[in-house]
Amino acid sequence: MSNNNFESDGSDSEDSSNIEDQPRLRRLLWQGIISQNADSNSNDDEILTDNEAEVLDDQLQPNLEEQLPVERQGEEQVEELAEEQSEELAEVEEQREGEQIEGQREIRQEEQAENIEEQPQRIPVTLSPPTTSRRIVQDSNVIDLNTPSPAKKRKRLSKSNETSPTLNSQKSEATGAGPIDDDEDDGLTCPICLDSWEMSGDHRLVSLKCGHLYGESCIRRWLTESQRQSSTKVCPQCKAKAGFRDIRHLYAKRLQVIDTGLREELEVERRKTLSLTSELATVKLSHTMATKRLSSLQLDYDRLRELVRAGGVMGCRGAFSTDSDAKCIRSLANYRLYMEKNLEICREAGCRVLLYSQPHSMLIASQKSAQNLFPGFGVRFIDPPTFKPMHFMHTSSQIIRDMAFSESQHMLTVASRERKIKLFDVRSRLCSSMFEAHDKQLWSCALDRNEREHFIYAGDHRGGIYIYDVRFPANILSEFQADENFSPVIHIAAVPSGKTFTSGGFLVCQLTALTFYEYAQAAEAAIPTRLNIDGPLLSMHYDAIQDLLLICVRSNLNCPQSRYILAKLSKVDNTPVIIIKTSVYGSKATPVMTRPAQMAVENNTLIAGYLQDKKQLILHDVRREERVQTMAVNEVVYDICPLVTSQSDHYLAALTDNKCRIYKVNSSS
């Protein structure tokens, strides 16, 4: 406040109206000072008289004259300190935020100027009032105490304003700097699914009438769900009413979108490449097989031509073999079957599967339970040397379809069209584990060997294959489903690792296809390959010692007779294939699923099968390439199993509905 508040010039005496008002103004001034002073003990409502005000003026006038220079020096020091602080703050702000220096400095200077202007106004609160009423004049700087002081307005920069993107962008444009992007993806993704917009397709960029942007599929789903829940379709962000008619396609200029067209083109090209690669591998395989077949036919043609030129003196066998081969064939032993024993398994029909384990020296036949307390089906143990039926073990309530032995452990697994396969300990004859597969019926089972001896395989009635670990029966290690093939899995066989397949694998026989799953070298993943053989199939038998595969093909329109195909699993151009060694034709009608068997005898292989139309049991010699024996059997033979006793005697077991026929294999030169 200026010094005019305390000193008056000669013009004050000339104004009589001001002089008359001075006592009243003086009283009001002292009344305000007393009411504001916290240390004063006087009553706020007390009103001073004119004489008391004059006495106070005379007493405080000397002190007022002494304190005024001191107050002026304090004001100058405050101004100097304020200026120094403003300069220091300006330098610090220039180093930190160059773009915000000017705005913050102006705001601080305005605050300091207001503080400096307000500080003299506080002087009358702590100092003495004017000595006389004559010195008080009306001036623009004089504050009327009767009127309330206006509210102070100060501009302060809040944290939200300091960090707001709008303010930053305005300042950056003023300073010439680029915009500050807190989040590069802001405004480039759909706020519903947080995924990028696309240029075309279901998730293309659209907007509502309120202006908010979304992916088309997301906003349509949102509007549908909003109408279902609250019967009102609204915008997810502003809750404004919206409808499907308000959806508009946008063709924005600056948007980061994903070009799905290129991805779809790449996917189409990838599928074409895979299809061409598979077709090329099939053509190469067909070409290789056709070349071998052509070479064989050319050789046969040359021999037949030599036979015709010789006048047909040579026998038919000589036309297809050299002299050395003929001598070797004549030196081969002639094998025949002789009935050893015909034992009854049970009185009721229900026998279907035979299984022999040479390490355990045990023959097992499935049968129907003869005990009323345990209805269902089970297995009968037979002693191979004496071929006497021993104890019975109940396994399931349904007819048994497949069984498998563990080579290194005393375990037997049974599959019987139930929704689980069971694992039994043959020593205690108790069920140790059960394995389920998504509540599906399991038709086949198998146990692996060597490094995967804990693996157990299962096949369901819809073509699915499952791999378990016997130590963790509740978990499925791997699951496979054949492409476009949902026929039941009727048999599974584990293939050990060897020269051709270094990591091994397993064969899966379905009613319509045969597939080999090869384990990869670096991982346990199995790669499926459909083998080059056409169905429908009846059975499959794999001999791991000879590495030969016997497949029974049902009679069909293309081939009116059933066939027993003996083949070897091999690789051509790094693709698993089967190379056919020989084919034996069977019966013309195959209404029942029967299982043939192959038997390794010395350096030869015998194939035993059942002809359903003629009711005969046949024995085929592979080396001689002829049928060496035919035996009449009135009952249907469902399964045939070769076995070798501890005395190295070869037997052949044939299972009917309720009996097991044991044949001994004898050789003669």
Side-chain angles (χ1 to χ4, degrees), residues 449-496:
R449 54 175 66 87
N450 299 335
E451 67 274 5
R452 298 187 184 91
E453 61 180 3
H454 297 290
F455 281 13
I456 183 171
Y457 304 95
D460 63 15
H461 69 292
R462 295 289 294 168
I465 301 97
Y466 310 93
I467 303 178
Y468 305 88
D469 193 326
V470 295
R471 298 167 294 184
F472 309 100
N475 300 327
I476 300 177
L477 297 182
S478 300
E479 182 177 350
F480 304 93
Q481 177 65 52
D483 296 337
E484 300 179 358
N485 190 354
F486 300 99
S487 59
V489 178
I490 57 178
H491 194 69
I492 302 176
V495 178

Side-chain angles (χ1 to χ4, degrees), residues 181 239 321 427 455 569:
D181 294 334
K239 304 303 180 183
S321 61
R427 293 169 297 185
F455 281 13
L569 190 61

Side-chain angles (χ1 to χ4, degrees), residues 494-508:
V495 178
S497 57
K499 295 181 180 179
T500 305
F501 305 100
T502 56
S503 299
F506 56 96
L507 287 161
V508 176

Side-chain angles (χ1 to χ4, degrees), residues 267-281:
E267 183 66 20
V268 171
E269 293 297 331
R270 187 184 68 83
R271 291 179 181 177
K272 288 183 179 179
T273 303
L274 291 177
S275 177
L276 291 176
T277 303
S278 177
E279 185 178 354
L280 179 60

Side-chain angles (χ1 to χ4, degrees), residues 56-71 126-129 131:
L56 289 175
D57 289 343
D58 296 336
Q59 293 178 359
L60 298 177
Q61 180 65 28
N63 296 333
L64 180 62
E65 293 178 354
E66 293 177 359
Q67 292 180 2
L68 285 176
V70 176
E71 294 298 330
T126 57
L127 297 179
S128 300
T131 56

Side-chain angles (χ1 to χ4, degrees), residues 204-273:
R204 65 178 301 175
L205 177 62
V206 298
S207 70
L208 297 177
K209 64 180 181 180
C210 58
H212 292 113
L213 305 179
Y214 305 96
E216 184 175 4
S217 59
C218 293
I219 189 59
R220 288 185 179 275
R221 186 169 63 252
W222 174 276
L223 294 177
T224 303
E225 188 67 15
S226 176
Q227 184 180 15
R228 187 182 67 83
Q229 293 182 359
S230 61
S231 70
T232 304
K233 292 177 285 188
V234 296
C235 175
Q237 298 189 41
C238 64
K239 304 303 180 183
K241 290 186 178 180
F244 294 108
R245 295 182 298 178
D246 301 327
I247 298 175
R248 297 176 177 86
H249 294 162
L250 296 183
Y251 304 90
K253 183 178 180 181
R254 298 180 60 187
L255 282 178
Q256 183 179 354
V257 297
I258 299 174
D259 190 0
T260 57
L262 181 59
R263 183 193 301 172
E264 292 176 358
E265 291 179 1
L266 291 176
E267 183 66 20
V268 171
E269 293 297 331
R270 187 184 68 83
R271 291 179 181 177
K272 288 183 179 179
T273 303

